Amino acid sequence: MLRIHFTGADLAGVRMAARPDVLWETVLSFHRLRDRRGALVYGEWRSETRTRLNGETRLLGALVPQRGYFPDFLTPPEGLGGLDTALEAVRETPPARIGTELALLAASRPGAAPLPGWVAGLVEGRPEPFSRLLGALRGYHRAAIEPYWTYIQSRVEADRAVRGRALLDGGADELLASLPPTLRWRSPVLEADYPVDRDLYLDGRGLLLQPSFFCRGTPVVYRDPGLPPVLVYPVTHSDAPAAGEPAGGGAASSSLGRLVGHTRSAVLKAIGHGGTTSELARRAGVSLASASQHAGVLREAGLVVTLRQGSSVLHTLTPLGAALLHGGAQYGRIPQQQQQRRRSYARNGPVTS
């Protein structure tokens, strides 16, 4: 079990990460690539990713074992700033810290093959080993993360909406109590299922909550207690059940209304930064049943993400939904199941009211 100990100052310093962390997603996805669990969520992603890899797994496998400890320097806080910024931070890691963390890595894998020779060059700060490592991270990210980044963003944004609502409703206590079931808030301690028994004392530094698409089961924290505290935890992958066909009336912009129907465009606009089904109904001026049906169609079209929270559900826009609402934006690939839903939606057309 992991026990994270809070003071009053730590509760005041709890905050949510603004976006997915590019290196946490990269490294944690490397774990998902090599296990067989979570096939419903990750199975198709594994198959597609493996076809694009070109030797990166052999290099990364030296530093990221299939389970257990991996060096903290692979996931610097700069991962929130994008891949280039994150990789530069990895390159700038002090050699003494790299040496300490690689020694921990070697000690955590008794009986395993020794670390390859090029890894020792990281401790010495030689350019060639860093080029190999950063090239492997970039190549793996290009194959495993980049094509799905928009989808990853949408899941993290949906989780942020749930946590943000909890924070507004009940403060930090309610936020911590709203975390996934593997995390249990028993003030002033946050307990979590964890591979080892460990206590983490925040000592007034606060805590960054980092939702992650590729974190599975148990959360992750830095091994080094001196690093800025961050708790990486899994987002919820199950959606609320989709609803049937809608009915009702409403209004929105004429172009969006012509595309998806005036009532549905009103519901899409009502979602904004997130809302429950009853809030959508009130904002769009439709019945509760109609709001639920419209939200279900928008979800099937890949425009909305729905997460269940207790007895209610919270709807948020995906990047594609936001782009449609605001007149267009760049968005990336998502897993094949979502593309098939969108193609079906395009073939059959929206049901307008």
Side-chain angles (χ1 to χ4, degrees):
M1 180 180 292
L2 170 68
R3 291 170 294 273
I4 304 177
H5 299 262
F6 287 74
T7 66
D10 295 315
L11 282 174
V14 172
R15 58 205 186 280
M16 288 294 304
R19 58 189 63 84
D21 184 294
V22 66
L23 283 185
W24 275 114
E25 296 297 349
T26 297
V27 172
L28 292 176
S29 77
F30 191 45
H31 285 293
R32 303 289 79 79
L33 184 74
R34 294 172 293 171
D35 66 35
R36 297 182 180 180
R37 297 171 296 174
L40 186 62
V41 175
Y42 304 116
E44 183 178 341
W45 166 82
R46 288 186 186 111
S47 298
E48 293 182 358
T49 295
R50 284 171 180 146
T51 65
R52 293 189 289 264
L53 290 170
N54 187 29
E56 293 87 354
T57 57
R58 179 178 56 82
L59 286 168
L60 293 180
L63 295 180
V64 184
Q66 195 159 349
R67 60 183 59 85
Y69 173 75
F70 60 85
D72 292 334
F73 75 83
L74 293 176
T75 51
E78 288 82 358
L80 287 169
L83 186 62
D84 291 338
T85 302
L87 293 183
E88 184 59 31
V90 172
R91 184 186 291 275
E92 295 300 319
T93 307
R97 176 183 165 188
I98 293 177
T100 298
E101 295 184 5
L102 291 182
L104 284 172
L105 176 63
S108 70
R109 33 187 278 172
L115 297 176
W118 69 268
V119 173
L122 297 173
V123 183
E124 299 165 6
R126 297 206 309 263
E128 192 273 336
F130 270 104
S131 294
R132 293 184 68 178
L133 172 60
L134 300 186
L137 285 169
R138 188 180 294 278
Y140 178 82
H141 176 272
R142 186 180 299 118
I145 302 299
E146 189 176 88
Y148 308 97
W149 188 245
T150 296
Y151 184 73
I152 293 168
Q153 283 180 305
S154 71
R155 305 308 303 188
V156 169
E157 280 298 324
D159 186 273
R160 276 172 44 83
V162 171
R163 309 306 158 210
R165 179 166 294 252
L167 180 65
L168 290 172
D169 289 345
D173 273 297
E174 187 70 20
L175 167 60
L176 294 171
S178 78
L179 293 170
T182 55
L183 292 146
R184 297 167 295 279
W185 175 237
R186 297 186 172 105
S187 181
V189 178
L190 181 63
E191 298 177 350
D193 298 334
Y194 208 64
V196 298
D197 200 52
R198 183 178 174 196
D199 289 275
L200 174 60
Y201 293 89
L202 299 178
D203 295 329
R205 296 174 295 169
L207 181 68
L208 176 66
L209 297 174
Q210 177 67 65
S212 167
F213 181 82
F214 283 105
C215 184
R216 182 185 183 276
T218 60
V220 187
V221 296
Y222 285 132
R223 172 70 173 268
D224 183 352
L227 292 173
V230 57
L231 178 71
V232 183
Y233 66 89
V235 301
T236 301
H237 290 290
S238 57
D239 289 338
E245 296 301 330
S253 66
S254 60
S255 59
L256 183 58
R258 287 195 298 270
L259 178 63
V260 300
H262 290 293
T263 302
R264 196 161 299 147
S265 68
V267 172
L268 186 68
K269 189 174 183 179
I271 290 173
H273 295 293
T276 64
T277 305
S278 59
E279 288 170 340
L280 304 190
R282 184 175 66 253
R283 294 170 190 170
V286 298
S287 70
L288 187 64
S290 178
S292 177
Q293 291 172 335
H294 282 293
V297 174
L298 294 169
R299 181 174 57 250
E300 287 299 307
L303 304 179
V304 168
V305 171
T306 302
L307 290 181
R308 183 168 296 280
Q309 182 69 10
S311 60
S312 63
V313 294
L314 184 65
H315 311 282
T316 60
L317 297 178
T318 66
L320 178 61
L324 179 63
L325 184 63
H326 300 299
Q330 293 295 319
Y331 58 91
R333 284 193 54 217
I334 59 172
Q336 189 67 24
Q337 300 100 315
Q338 300 293 321
Q339 294 189 40
Q340 290 171 349
R341 290 177 184 173
R342 292 183 187 175
R343 284 195 291 267
S344 173
Y345 185 76
R347 284 196 302 270
N348 299 328
V351 178
T352 58
S353 52

